């Protein structure tokens, strides 16, 4: 059995900010020794809505080669980091719909005893970031999963300021992802891989 942690980074992104954080997390996870799958959730919005927003349409085209997540990817993983923009203080419908497809795995206990974490973006300061992550983690409790939030476990988190997960304010697309967010994302990935590695070693012993 491979000792490397299997990490799935599963996200939804409309205009690319969550996607950029997801990529940072995936790269940091790989550098920490994990086998990583970077995956997006299926788009639910109609083509007309996407086409009406230049940034949304551009990101849809740019991310066309990113594989769409399936329940098999979650079953494969030892750890999963979910990402989403906030929608009225809650997870996006695209990510929620994906979570709702996991009922079969849940019913046979295949979601339990894995490590889970999350990250979020919003258009405005605060903007429901913490409530979105807490709402996401409600599903993890039902899974029987282990929430590994970054907490204030590294100095970068006192800059980022969100113990629940990496977060970014995009200011309606006007605020690029800066180093403080990248640092927080890297720390979150490293912490998830570290805890998942210890858990996997213990379960395999």
């Amino acid at each position: 059995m491979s000792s490397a942690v299997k990490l799935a980074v599963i996200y939804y992104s409309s205009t690319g900010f969550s996607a950029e954080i997801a990529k940072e997390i995936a790269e940091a996870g790989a550098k920490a020794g994990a086998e990583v799958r970077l995956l997006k959730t299926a788009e639910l919005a109609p083509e007309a809505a996407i086409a009406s927003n230049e940034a949304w349409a551009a990101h849809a085209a740019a991310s066309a080669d990113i594989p769409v997540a399936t329940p098999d990817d979650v079953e494969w993983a030892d750890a999963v980091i979910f990402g989403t923009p906030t929608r009225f203080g809650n997870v996006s419908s695209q990510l929620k719909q994906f979570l709702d497809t996991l009922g079969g795995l849940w019913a046979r206990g295949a979601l339990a005893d894995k490590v889970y974490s999350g990250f979020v973006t919003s258009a405005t300061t605060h903007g429901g970031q913490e409530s979105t992550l807490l709402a996401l983690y409600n599903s993890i409790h039902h899974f029987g999963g282990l929430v590994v939030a970054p907490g204030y476990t590294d100095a970068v988190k006192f800059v980022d300021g969100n113990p629940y997960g990496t977060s970014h304010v995009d200011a309606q697309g006007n605020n690029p992802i800066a180093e403080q967010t990248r640092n927080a994302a890297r720390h979150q990935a490293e912490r998830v891989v570290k805890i998942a590695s210890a858990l996997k070693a213990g379960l395999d012993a």
Side-chain angles (χ1 to χ4, degrees):
M1 182 179 295
S2 171
S3 60
V5 164
K6 297 174 182 176
L7 171 64
V9 182
I10 300 175
Y11 71 93
Y12 173 70
S13 186
S14 55
T15 58
F17 288 93
S18 292
E20 195 168 344
I21 296 172
K23 183 179 179 182
E24 193 76 47
I25 286 174
E27 290 176 353
K31 288 179 181 177
E35 181 182 350
V36 180
R37 292 182 183 179
L38 177 63
L39 307 153
K40 64 185 179 184
T41 61
E43 181 59 82
L44 302 179
E47 287 294 332
I50 298 170
S52 70
N53 182 313
E54 184 178 345
W56 196 353
H59 177 65
S63 61
D65 61 337
I66 301 293
V68 173
T70 70
D72 288 344
D73 294 307
V74 178
E75 185 169 21
W76 165 86
D78 301 305
V80 184
I81 302 178
F82 290 114
T84 180
T86 186
R87 294 289 186 262
F88 301 117
N90 212 322
V91 300
S92 63
S93 59
Q94 290 86 349
L95 181 60
K96 182 59 167 64
Q97 192 274 344
F98 176 74
L99 295 174
D100 288 346
T101 69
L102 303 179
L105 294 180
W106 169 82
R108 55 186 175 86
L111 299 177
D113 303 331
K114 297 177 185 287
V115 166
Y116 298 89
S117 200
F119 64 92
V120 65
T121 59
S122 65
T124 58
T125 302
H126 304 301
Q129 291 182 343
E130 292 180 357
S131 65
T132 296
L133 290 171
L134 290 171
L136 170 64
Y137 295 156
N138 285 337
S139 295
I140 307 312
H141 297 316
H142 282 256
F143 293 172
L146 306 173
V147 175
V148 176
Y152 292 109
T153 54
D154 189 275
V156 300
K157 292 306 298 177
F158 290 94
V159 179
D160 162 78
N162 189 342
Y164 303 96
T166 301
S167 58
H168 176 73
V169 178
D170 67 52
Q172 302 290 351
N174 295 310
N175 185 29
I177 292 179
E179 201 60 22
Q180 74 174 41
T181 302
R182 296 185 188 280
N183 287 339
R186 289 191 286 263
H187 173 64
Q188 184 171 9
E190 291 162 1
R191 178 167 164 76
V192 165
V193 172
K194 175 184 176 181
I195 300 302
S197 294
L199 179 64
K200 185 172 184 176
L203 291 175
D204 288 347

